[in-house]
Amino acid sequence: MNGNSLIAGEWLAGEGEFLSAPATGTPRTYSTGTADLVDQACVAAEEAFWSYGYTTREERAAFLDRIADEIEARGTQITEIGSAETGLPAARLEGERGRTTGQLRLFADHIRKGDYLDLRHDPALPDRQPLPRPDLKMAQRPIGPVAVFGASNFPLAFSTAGGDTAAALAAGCPVVVKGHTAHPGTGEIVAEAVDAARQACNLHPGVFSFVQGGGRVVGTTLVQHPFIKAVGFTGSLGGGRALFDLCAARPEPIPFFGELGSVNPMFVLPDALAARGAEIGAGWAGSLMMGAGQFCTNPGLVLLPAGEGADAFIDAATDALNAAGEQTMLTDGIALAYHSGQSQIAATEGVTTKVAETAEGRQSRAAFHVVSAETFRANPNLAHEVFGPMGIAVLVNDPVDFVDLAKSFEGQLTATVQMDAGDAALATTLLPVLERKAGRVLFNGFPTGVEVADSMVHGGPYPASTNFGATSVGTLSIRRFLRPVCYQNLPEDVCLAF
């Protein structure tokens, strides 16, 4: 490992250094990215676009497949350093690596089919009255170089060669990645894999660059660079909103596709609660604790009709959460924010703590609090995400209140309904509200685990994401990096390159 940034095929040092902060093992030294390195990467990406943007679908598909192969060839190395940097278990990283290579191959298959081009043709009508119609053809075309910000919680699937990068490369857009300082070594190895694939496919070196660290200077320079035409981001609401505002304030505003945060409410309807309250409670607790609660689809809020069924749910969830051990969080900063955030919730008047969070440092334990609907309405902070394994149960006296409470929510990535046959009428009333609030509505399941598929939507109204019409998972995500172009009276001897 060299610890530098990959800029258009060359590993270049910046002007300073930073140390990684691994969960285990010895910190490593990395060269800090600079505004100058960002500029070099963006200039090279623009140069690369004139060739890469006009490659065939098969050429780009072969590139994506080769990236997947190169990542798999480095699998053992990636798992070793990824586990040390993040504290994630080997099995989780191996699964995430499979998801990452699966995404790349899914996009390869998707663009080979060509449906994403949305080709349309209105033939000329020269004899139409009162005016003739010209020949019109339309196709989706790549927008240009794309900036991608690596995510802290997914060092593979949402980072260097994750979903944003895969979708942009599939569309024909060169990519400049800002690596996340939570896992710089993992990012470097994956960047090596991408560059090896680029060389094997004989593509322009500016097709992919990877900038280490650099903080706000690198991030700001990247989103404001005139050659960048869109940004993909997964991270905090504060950081994402700041970048979104920078994109909008550019002389040429560009789209910012940010996934920012969600509490992912779960509604347990009366018949389901009465029939299987304890079962649902235990399942919810397992979903809440998965990955130390560091999934963007973590179900941090559950709404229950008060009564015996709610008591059974709460008892089962409490037992499961109390029995769980400590888990290592991704970074010291994330752990500190979790300890602070859940403590503020616990100190709120009207909150009953069922499971207290007692871990320290980079460790975490689950926390579980119960409130009335009245307390929930009176304290807007209870509806805000605390990133980690903390859950809040809201008790309602009348299930009809579910609808009004749902209307009060901000945008969400997911909303879940637990129901039995007798709950169909209430679910039917609730669904129109939930589909306005969330990008994915689940029934009788738990939201952790996002299937990478054609039908998946991983996004939602703000603040879940900054573009309610987009998804960051699944093949539809390629649309973020395309724009429609109409060709009028295109001569037959002028070829379109798809």
Side-chain angles (χ1 to χ4, degrees), residues 20 76 126 207 228 233 290 335 362 385 399 418 447 462 497:
S20 65
T76 300
V207 163
I228 293 297
F233 174 89
M290 187 179 296
R362 195 159 166 174
E385 180 185 30
Q418 298 285 349
Y462 185 85

Side-chain angles (χ1 to χ4, degrees), residues 27 121 144 146 224 293 300 322 350 372 377 451:
H121 183 203
V146 170
Q224 291 187 318
N322 272 326
S372 67
R377 288 191 178 98
E451 187 70 26

Side-chain angles (χ1 to χ4, degrees), residues 135-200:
D135 183 86
L136 302 171
K137 295 182 174 72
M138 189 274 280
Q140 298 286 342
R141 302 299 295 143
I143 58 175
V146 170
V148 172
F149 285 71
S152 64
N153 60 334
F154 279 87
L156 299 172
F158 280 89
S159 289
T160 308
D164 288 346
T165 297
L169 292 176
C173 300
V175 173
V176 179
V177 173
K178 182 187 183 300
H180 201 287
T181 54
H183 40 77
T186 309
E188 180 180 319
I189 296 171
V190 176
E192 288 177 352
V194 178
D195 194 54
R198 184 215 35 100
Q199 294 179 59

Side-chain angles (χ1 to χ4, degrees), residues 308-343:
E308 293 183 3
D311 293 340
F313 177 102
I314 291 169
D315 289 345
T318 299
D319 289 344
L321 296 172
N322 272 326
E326 293 186 354
Q327 298 184 76
T328 303
M329 302 200 82
L330 291 159
T331 69
D332 293 326
I334 289 173
L336 179 63
Y338 171 65
H339 298 319
S340 174
Q342 80 82 27
S343 294

Side-chain angles (χ1 to χ4, degrees), residues 47-339:
E47 292 174 354
F49 181 67
W50 295 111
S51 57
Y52 186 69
Y54 300 90
T55 51
T56 66
R57 290 179 282 122
E58 180 54 42
E59 287 173 318
R60 296 196 301 280
F63 179 37
L64 295 170
D65 283 337
R66 185 59 182 259
I67 295 172
D69 293 342
E70 296 287 349
I71 289 173
E72 288 175 345
R74 294 162 175 77
T76 300
Q77 188 182 10
I78 289 170
T79 298
E80 181 180 352
I81 194 167
S83 183
E85 287 183 326
T86 65
L88 295 172
R92 154 68 195 274
L93 283 167
E94 289 164 2
E96 189 181 333
R97 187 177 75 243
R99 171 175 168 166
T100 303
T101 57
Q103 287 175 158
L104 289 159
R105 293 186 173 115
L106 177 67
F107 275 109
D109 291 341
H110 184 62
I111 61 174
R112 282 186 175 108
K113 295 173 184 175
D115 294 344
Y116 79 98
L117 292 167
D118 194 19
L119 297 175
R120 304 183 184 203
H121 183 203
D122 291 298
L125 297 175
D127 298 326
R128 189 184 67 175
Q129 295 297 327
L131 293 172
R133 184 178 74 187
D135 183 86
L136 302 171
K137 295 182 174 72
M138 189 274 280
Q140 298 286 342
R141 302 299 295 143
I143 58 175
V146 170
V148 172
F149 285 71
S152 64
N153 60 334
F154 279 87
L156 299 172
F158 280 89
S159 289
T160 308
D164 288 346
T165 297
L169 292 176
C173 300
V175 173
V176 179
V177 173
K178 182 187 183 300
H180 201 287
T181 54
H183 40 77
T186 309
E188 180 180 319
I189 296 171
V190 176
E192 288 177 352
V194 178
D195 194 54
R198 184 215 35 100
Q199 294 179 59
C201 295
N202 195 30
L203 297 172
H204 190 291
V207 163
F208 177 85
S209 291
F210 173 80
V211 184
Q212 287 278 24
R216 291 184 179 179
V217 171
V218 165
T220 299
T221 304
L222 186 54
V223 302
Q224 291 187 318
H225 199 284
F227 287 148
I228 293 297
K229 299 304 178 185
V231 178
F233 174 89
T234 298
S236 69
L237 175 59
R241 182 55 196 252
L243 292 173
F244 173 87
D245 290 344
L246 287 173
C247 288
R250 287 174 32 140
E252 177 201 4
I254 59 173
F256 178 84
F257 299 104
E259 182 208 303
L260 307 182
S262 183
V263 294
N264 304 296
M266 184 175 82
F267 298 79
V268 186
L269 305 193
D271 281 16
L273 188 62
R276 46 194 177 92
E279 176 188 342
I280 298 171
W284 173 77
S287 181
L288 184 75
M289 291 184 292
M290 187 179 296
Q294 297 168 119
F295 289 133
C296 44
T297 53
N298 184 42
L301 196 63
V302 57
L303 295 92
L304 308 164
E308 293 183 3
D311 293 340
F313 177 102
I314 291 169
D315 289 345
T318 299
D319 289 344
L321 296 172
N322 272 326
E326 293 186 354
Q327 298 184 76
T328 303
M329 302 200 82
L330 291 159
T331 69
D332 293 326
I334 289 173
L336 179 63
Y338 171 65
H339 298 319

